[in-house]
Amino acid sequence: MNFIRTGFRKVTIGFLFVILVVILNVIVSYFILRKNSSTIQRMTEVVNPYMETMQEFNLLVTESKMYSTNWVYLQNSTEDKHNLQDLHRSRYPKLKKKINEFLVLLNKQSDKDSMEAIYSGFEDLLKEEKRIMTGLITFEDYENPKKKFVAEDLVESEVLPRTEAIQKALQATISRNREETSRMRNELVSSFNHLLLISLLVSIGLFLMTLMAAAFISSAIRKPVLMMKEIIRQLGKGELPERQIPVTNNVIGEMAESVNRLSASFTKTSVFATEIGKGNLSIGYERLGENDLLGNALIRMRDSLRVYSEEMEEKVRERTREVLEKNGKLELAYREIRDSIHYARRIQEALLPAEKLIYKVFEDAFIYYRPKDIVCGDFYWFAHREDEVVMAAIDCTGHGVPGALMTVIGNSILHQIVNFSGITDPAKILNQLDRKLLETLRHHGGAITNDGMDVSVCRYRISKKELTFAGAKRPLYLFKKGELLEIKGNKFPIGSFQYDTEKLFTEHRLNVNAGDSIYMFSDGYQDQFGGPEGKKFMVGSFRELLQEIQQMPMKDQVSRVESRMQQWQGTMEQTDDVLVMGVRF
């Protein structure tokens, strides 16, 4: 009997130890979950909104550059001017205040120092933009070459470099915060992994201790049963036992009942823990009694996890609503950008000479103009001055928006050279265009740029039937009596600081007769990939095409040029902007 009582005391101590381990596991889990909750709250309420605000600042810097550039080069961009003024007066101060509020919450001295430097740089940029805004106000200001040149120089030498420097600093700060956010996420994952490992080890320990307890209880019952068997055997033989055996049925029964209760308790605990692990936080748990430490701890853990889960679900719903709102804003921004580019296309098309002006001088002519993107880096130019006609085909560096901006600059300079200065000699036009474009593109401090354009220019004197041609990296094709003559241009382009030698453009004077035809073009047609093997169309194929269609009227020629391009290109993407001009005298 003493042996049984001693064994039960050991079993009781063992189970108390198990309960202590479980409680410690709950406490550790609670503190880990609480720490993770704090980290998640900081990420969702401070770090992520702060990152979004920094991205908004980066977009604001880009808009500032775009609006100030449009202020200089697009005189009638009233909406962009209002947007730039609103950015100076309202949007930037509000955004700066919002970022500073997040900096106070973050309490990171490195970010505070970085943002102070960025604020200073951006406010210096705003001062330069203010100079542009105050320098170009009226129509007379835009027509004043000195004021226009000063504004253009401010854009190239101040606005663009400062914008790039500010955006680099912003990207460095954003990247640093992204790394910190990634580190916080990794810590969360590591913390949850540790919690999972601890729970697994505790479960294994509980299982092993349960096996040991079961073996011990089995051994403790076997001894008194064997003693009872020996006593019964002795009684069956008529022998009296040497010692009195107390009634042990009640004690063994209580042990069995206790063990059954304990086993059932462990079973319920295992099921409870499994369901909690699956996310079932509504599962019930029946305690062994009011003072059931393990049961109370498990119930508190379940309730704490339920509250935490409900809070997290609410935060997820809030974040989902915020994401949906931001998606709506992004869609709106996309539509605005798309509409702006389409509006830029309308402006660019408005700058091109009306085709009816060309057909008024040359009844048999065509223009095949096919931008790669919405806006185009190629453009054609035409002017009719008394007995002289000046026409040009220009291929600017790049395509899309950058190329389109170059076309605006080129169109403006050609307008100044021919219509205002009265220069009609093609070589002089190219020399003036090269000089003025280099002045426009020159950066502060003599920075190098390869921006430029390839140009072919013709002047036609109607009364003399005299054609004069000069080219910058572009040739002229002349067909006389069906025979092709190629007049090559000079090998250097307009603009581009990589050519540090003096550029001298050569003029070619030709007499043309009725039925002769000329073609000026960019390199987009010959460089288009397509065909069965996905190769370039090439110059030779382009010449053969022009030779094939020589006898056709120009309106039929342009149809053949277009259909051949579509047939060659097939399903492949357009490689570059395409411009082909044809005139028959």
Side-chain angles (χ1 to χ4, degrees):
M1 187 66 182
N2 291 332
F3 172 77
I4 294 175
R5 291 176 179 174
T6 302
F8 280 126
R9 281 198 298 270
K10 293 181 179 179
V11 172
T12 302
I13 293 173
F15 281 121
L16 289 176
F17 178 74
V18 170
I19 293 173
L20 179 61
V21 170
V22 173
I23 292 174
L24 289 175
N25 179 46
V26 171
I27 292 174
V28 171
S29 300
Y30 171 76
F31 281 107
I32 291 176
L33 291 174
R34 184 176 180 182
K35 179 183 176 183
N36 290 349
S37 175
S38 176
T39 303
I40 292 173
Q41 182 178 7
R42 178 176 174 83
M43 289 179 63
T44 55
E45 295 182 357
V46 179
V47 177
N48 290 342
Y50 170 65
M51 294 286 288
E52 294 170 359
T53 308
M54 294 290 286
Q55 291 290 357
E56 186 179 349
F57 190 15
N58 191 27
L59 179 60
L60 185 76
V61 175
T62 302
E63 291 180 3
S64 171
K65 177 185 70 175
M66 181 183 70
Y67 294 149
S68 59
T69 303
N70 290 349
W71 191 296
V72 175
Y73 293 108
L74 301 176
Q75 178 180 353
N76 296 324
S77 58
T78 306
E79 182 179 354
D80 288 346
K81 291 181 178 181
H82 288 324
N83 289 338
L84 183 59
Q85 292 169 345
D86 181 60
L87 187 148
H88 280 238
R89 290 194 303 265
S90 176
R91 291 179 61 194
Y92 169 63
K94 291 180 180 178
L95 185 58
K96 179 179 178 182
K97 180 180 178 182
K98 186 176 180 181
I99 293 175
N100 287 335
E101 291 174 354
F102 283 118
L103 288 174
V104 172
L105 296 175
L106 285 171
N107 195 23
K108 289 172 59 179
Q109 189 60 42
S110 59
D111 274 28
K112 291 181 179 178
D113 295 339
S114 299
M115 290 310 300
E116 286 298 327
I118 292 172
Y119 290 153
S120 177
F122 187 64
E123 288 165 4
D124 290 340
L125 172 62
L126 295 182
K127 293 178 182 178
E128 298 300 330
E129 293 178 350
K130 195 68 177 178
R131 292 176 59 189
I132 294 174
M133 295 162 65
T134 55
L136 293 179
I137 299 176
T138 64
F139 176 79
E140 289 75 12
D141 292 336
Y142 279 90
E143 293 298 315
N144 188 323
K146 183 177 181 180
K147 289 187 177 181
K148 190 70 162 42
F149 178 78
V150 169
E152 292 172 351
D153 184 64
L154 285 174
V155 170
E156 298 296 331
S157 62
E158 297 293 341
V159 173
L160 297 181
R162 289 178 183 272
T163 300
E164 182 178 359
I166 293 169
Q167 290 182 323
K168 284 183 179 178
L170 272 173
Q171 286 299 329
T173 304
I174 292 171
S175 298
R176 186 170 62 248
N177 280 275
R178 282 177 178 165
E179 292 174 359
E180 182 178 350
T181 303
S182 178
R183 179 183 58 78
M184 294 173 69
R185 291 195 185 100
N186 292 336
E187 289 178 355
L188 280 174
V189 172
S190 176
S191 178
F192 278 116
N193 289 336
H194 288 162
L195 179 60
L196 180 61
L197 178 60
I198 291 171
S199 299
L200 179 62
L201 292 176
V202 169
S203 299
I204 293 174
L206 291 175
F207 178 73
L208 293 176
M209 294 189 70
T210 302
L211 290 180
M212 292 173 61
F216 180 79
I217 292 171
S218 176
S219 175
I221 293 174
R222 182 173 176 272
K223 185 174 181 178
V225 168
L226 290 176
M227 290 176 63
M228 291 174 62
K229 179 182 178 182
E230 179 63 21
I231 292 173
I232 293 172
R233 187 185 66 81
Q234 289 178 356
L235 290 172
K237 290 171 62 177
E239 298 175 356
L240 293 174
E242 295 180 353
R243 55 180 179 176
Q244 293 291 324
I245 302 298
V247 178
T248 59
N249 289 335
N250 293 334
V251 174
I252 294 174
E254 290 175 0
M255 286 178 58
E257 184 181 359
S258 298
V259 170
N260 290 335
R261 286 201 305 267
L262 183 61
S263 177
S265 174
F266 271 95
T267 301
K268 288 190 296 182
T269 301
S270 175
V271 172
F272 180 82
T274 301
E275 291 298 317
I276 291 293
K278 293 179 180 179
N280 182 10
L281 302 179
S282 62
I283 185 173
Y285 185 81
E286 184 179 352
R287 295 176 296 177
L288 297 177
E290 292 296 327
N291 298 321
D292 183 359
L293 297 178
L294 176 60
N296 290 330
L298 290 173
I299 291 173
R300 286 196 297 272
M301 180 187 72
R302 179 200 62 191
D303 295 341
S304 298
L305 289 174
R306 180 188 298 162
V307 172
Y308 175 75
S309 176
E310 292 173 353
E311 292 176 351
M312 289 303 297
E313 288 177 357
E314 180 59 27
K315 289 180 180 178
V316 168
R317 285 193 290 270
E318 292 176 0
R319 297 298 177 265
T320 302
R321 287 194 295 270
E322 293 176 1
V323 169
L324 292 176
E325 292 176 359
K326 286 180 172 59
N327 284 341
K329 293 179 180 178
L330 287 174
E331 290 179 1
L332 178 60
Y334 168 76
R335 288 196 298 270
E336 291 177 351
I337 293 172
R338 181 193 61 196
D339 293 341
S340 297
I341 294 177
H342 281 284
Y343 184 73
R345 179 180 66 180
R346 292 196 297 271
I347 294 175
Q348 186 181 37
E349 291 174 350
L351 292 175
L352 295 174
E355 292 185 9
K356 64 181 181 180
L357 297 178
I358 301 174
Y359 298 147
K360 184 177 181 180
V361 179
F362 303 106
E363 296 180 357
D364 198 10
F366 77 81
I367 297 173
Y368 179 58
Y369 183 67
R370 185 179 180 186
K372 177 184 184 296
D373 301 310
I374 298 174
V375 289
C376 188
D378 292 355
F379 73 102
Y380 55 92
W381 198 85
F382 183 88
H384 185 193
R385 296 172 53 85
E386 299 178 352
D387 190 49
E388 293 181 334
V389 173
V390 178
M391 48 188 169
I394 302 96
D395 183 357
C396 298
T397 301
H399 47 75
V401 175
L405 291 176
M406 288 291 292
T407 66
V408 173
I409 297 173
N411 184 82
S412 175
I413 295 175
L414 284 172
H415 185 67
Q416 294 176 20
I417 294 171
V418 178
N419 293 328
F420 283 87
S421 300
I423 298 173
T424 60
D425 293 333
K428 292 182 180 180
I429 290 174
L430 292 180
N431 284 324
Q432 288 291 316
L433 181 60
D434 180 68
R435 182 179 63 81
K436 291 180 179 294
L437 183 62
L438 287 174
E439 291 174 356
T440 302
L441 297 178
R442 192 178 302 277
H443 290 253
H444 179 71
I448 302 301
T449 177
N450 293 328
D451 294 334
M453 53 186 69
D454 302 338
V455 186
S456 57
V457 182
C458 286
R459 178 190 64 194
Y460 177 61
R461 287 178 173 166
I462 301 174
S463 60
K464 295 182 179 181
K465 293 187 177 181
E466 179 188 79
L467 182 70
T468 306
F469 165 77
K473 293 192 72 175
R474 300 307 305 155
L476 174 73
Y477 286 176
L478 169 64
F479 283 86
K480 296 182 71 67
K481 297 181 179 180
E483 182 179 350
L484 171 62
L485 299 176
E486 180 181 2
I487 299 93
K488 296 184 177 180
N490 297 99
K491 294 184 178 180
F492 31 73
I494 298 300
S496 181
F497 288 90
Q498 62 178 318
Y499 295 84
D500 54 0
T501 58
E502 183 180 3
K503 300 178 185 178
L504 298 176
F505 296 95
T506 306
E507 283 189 349
H508 304 270
R509 286 198 176 124
L510 307 163
N511 290 323
V512 294
N513 301 315
D516 293 346
S517 58
I518 62 170
Y519 298 88
M520 296 186 292
F521 46 90
S522 67
D523 59 2
Y525 200 103
Q526 66 197 42
D527 288 345
Q528 177 60 45
F529 288 93
E533 299 178 359
K535 295 182 179 180
K536 285 186 178 181
F537 190 79
M538 303 301 290
V539 177
S541 299
F542 182 61
R543 292 173 182 165
E544 293 176 1
L545 172 62
L546 295 180
Q547 190 76 52
E548 292 172 4
I549 63 178
Q550 266 313 291
Q551 303 306 318
M552 299 180 179
M554 286 294 178
K555 65 178 181 178
D556 294 334
Q557 288 189 24
V558 71
S559 298
R560 286 288 296 275
V561 168
E562 182 176 15
S563 62
R564 185 64 180 275
M565 169 60 71
Q566 293 175 351
Q567 179 184 3
W568 177 261
Q569 180 180 346
T571 58
M572 297 191 71
E573 182 180 358
Q574 185 172 334
T575 307
D576 197 359
D577 300 317
V578 177
L579 171 62
V580 181
M581 298 174 61
V583 173
R584 177 167 288 156
F585 299 95

